[in-house]
Amino acid sequence: MKILNWYVLRGFLVAFFMAIAILTFGLTGANLIKVIDYLSRGISLWTFCKFTAYILPNILTFTVPWAVMVSVMLVFGRLSADNEITAMRACGVSILQIISPIVLITLLLTGLCLYLQVEVGPPLLLKSRTMMEDAVMDQPLAIFEPGKPVMYDNKLIYIDRKEANGDIYGVQLYTLNAKGDQVEQDISAESGNLSADPSTHILTIKLFNAIATSKTGSLGTADEENNDSIDRIFTCDMEIPISYGGKANAANLSIRPKYMRLQDLMAQIHITKLRGQDTTKMEVELNQRIAFALAPIAFLLLGLPLAIRTNRRETSIGLFLSVILAGIFFLSIILCESFANYPHVYPQYLLWLPNIVFQLLGAHMIMRISRR
């Protein structure tokens, strides 16, 4: 019996580690697109590595259950296609005996997902969201990219070309009004230079051969009725200081429920209830985390009988089914989460429907197979 259990478990573990490596790499890459863009513009490699480490726990809460599903579909699909399960059962070994080591591993993975969801993932996710802002504070020149607008306070800046030493060419700078819907000043220059002082958080834009036009109207156009009042100033040199640290220093220090640890989130729910306020959104966040953490069990229970029933040797069938089932599960929870603004439908309890359906349906199918 130990030999059979190790044989099945070894196949599961090999498939699991391969699946989780591929899935984690794919989902991590999708989250790193913007960071890679910043990396190409001067953000340090250390910042890139830290961002990857911060988002990894949150990604694992998705890839671990998905890898369990893929592994079960591949391993038991092959065992069923090769009639190995039939041979084991003919020798008096039940389905429950065959899968017992995998069930134990899945329970451990569920505990890992729960720990990542309620303790590790949320604060690290917050760090990943704020880290790029901190990186820009350290290297503000890195966000300037030719052809893309950059907004600092009420100033919109375009450049055509940028050199590594901070020299810029083809500069267009618009100063907007308080509402941000009209141009108060339009400055264009053939060339210029960017420099930043980290100690004062002041970005200095030096412009050469600049033309400054004061006008009103929509972005980049003059108001035809006020053409006579337009003022144009020709200057050789112009310096424009911009405080790039003021906005970050004035940021709200409150933490959203999405980024709270379990203890902090439950305390916030309790305090909010004492104030007589609605706690639906926070309860949705709490239940969503636990529902996601229990996904490995649901995927195991449903994936196992489906893998045996399909009885096909081709791995494409198992991969296709695992993608479809995982997509249905995660999308169902996300859909239920979208009802957080409608407390009367109790979205915090609707979140459990995917888990309940998957686990009950899977358990029923396993019992039917074990009785045959």
Side-chain angles (χ1 to χ4, degrees):
M1 188 61 199
K2 292 183 179 179
I3 296 177
L4 289 178
N5 283 339
W6 172 242
Y7 172 71
V8 175
L9 181 60
R10 181 178 58 186
F12 173 82
L13 291 176
V14 170
F16 174 79
F17 285 116
M18 291 180 62
I20 198 171
I22 295 173
L23 293 172
T24 303
F25 177 80
L27 290 183
T28 303
N31 284 271
L32 291 178
I33 294 177
K34 185 176 181 180
V35 184
I36 292 174
D37 181 41
Y38 279 128
L39 184 65
S40 66
R41 288 190 260 163
I43 295 297
S44 66
L45 182 61
W46 174 241
T47 300
F48 173 83
C49 295
K50 285 198 299 182
F51 182 86
T52 305
Y54 289 158
I55 65 173
L56 192 59
N58 189 59
I59 290 175
L60 287 175
T61 59
F62 289 90
T63 58
V64 167
W66 200 348
V68 169
M69 171 74 78
V70 171
S71 306
V72 167
M73 296 295 293
L74 293 180
V75 172
F76 284 90
R78 179 184 61 80
L79 292 176
S80 180
D82 293 339
N83 294 318
E84 293 183 74
I85 292 182
T86 303
M88 293 179 189
R89 297 185 64 187
C91 295
V93 180
S94 68
I95 291 293
L96 298 179
Q97 289 176 306
I98 297 172
I99 67 171
S100 56
I102 297 179
V103 172
L104 178 60
I105 295 296
T106 302
L107 291 176
L108 294 176
L109 292 174
T110 301
L112 173 64
C113 289
L114 184 61
Y115 180 67
L116 293 177
Q117 280 281 12
V118 301
E119 290 295 329
V120 179
L124 290 183
L125 186 62
L126 175 61
K127 288 185 178 181
S128 72
R129 295 291 186 267
T130 59
M131 191 183 64
M132 296 314 300
E133 297 178 4
D134 296 337
V136 171
M137 292 281 289
D138 295 333
Q139 295 178 284
L141 306 187
I143 69 169
F144 285 89
E145 183 179 5
K148 291 187 178 181
V150 175
M151 190 75 178
Y152 272 122
D153 294 331
N154 65 331
K155 291 180 173 56
L156 188 64
I157 309 165
Y158 294 87
I159 61 174
D160 290 336
R161 184 161 60 91
K162 184 182 76 169
E163 302 293 343
N165 60 358
D167 291 340
I168 53 178
Y169 302 90
V171 184
Q172 196 77 30
L173 188 150
Y174 299 102
T175 301
L176 308 180
N177 62 2
K179 294 182 179 180
D181 58 354
Q182 290 185 338
V183 176
E184 293 182 343
Q185 189 179 50
D186 178 0
I187 302 175
S188 59
E190 295 179 0
S191 61
N193 180 267
L194 297 171
S195 61
D197 186 353
S199 62
T200 59
H201 291 161
I202 297 297
L203 173 69
T204 302
I205 304 177
K206 294 181 180 180
L207 301 178
F208 311 117
N209 300 321
I211 301 175
T213 303
S214 297
K215 58 184 179 178
T216 59
S218 59
L219 187 63
T221 63
D223 188 342
E224 296 180 357
E225 297 180 358
N226 297 307
N227 276 341
D228 294 337
S229 63
I230 293 178
D231 296 327
R232 289 184 174 86
I233 301 174
F234 298 86
T235 180
C236 294
D237 298 329
M238 178 182 293
E239 287 192 4
I240 303 173
I242 298 175
S243 176
Y244 63 87
K247 185 175 181 180
N249 293 333
N252 193 343
L253 297 178
S254 63
I255 300 177
R256 293 170 52 190
K258 181 179 181 180
Y259 305 125
M260 293 181 180
R261 289 187 172 91
L262 177 63
Q263 184 177 0
D264 299 330
L265 181 57
M266 295 185 68
Q268 187 65 37
I269 292 174
H270 179 68
I271 293 173
T272 306
K273 285 184 176 179
L274 292 178
R275 293 174 178 173
Q277 300 174 354
D278 181 56
T279 60
T280 301
K281 290 185 178 180
M282 288 180 283
E283 291 181 25
V284 166
E285 175 64 29
L286 176 61
N287 284 273
Q288 182 200 43
R289 294 186 192 182
I290 301 175
F292 270 132
L294 296 180
I297 298 176
F299 284 8
L300 172 66
L301 292 177
L302 187 59
L304 176 64
L306 287 177
I308 296 175
R309 284 179 176 273
T310 53
N311 198 24
R312 296 288 298 273
R313 184 182 296 273
E314 294 86 354
T315 57
S316 58
I317 299 298
L319 292 176
F320 177 76
L321 286 175
S322 63
V323 170
I324 295 298
L325 292 173
I328 292 174
F329 183 89
F330 291 131
L331 288 176
S332 298
I333 292 183
I334 293 173
L335 179 62
C336 294
E337 183 192 11
S338 66
F339 290 104
N341 293 323
Y342 305 94
H344 59 278
V345 300
Y346 300 101
Q348 63 268 46
Y349 305 123
L350 288 177
L351 285 167
W352 290 100
L353 283 179
N355 264 296
I356 294 173
V357 172
F358 271 53
Q359 293 185 24
L360 290 180
L361 182 60
H364 175 70
M365 294 174 66
I366 290 176
M367 294 303 297
R368 291 191 59 182
I369 292 175
S370 63
R371 292 172 181 172
R372 288 192 302 178

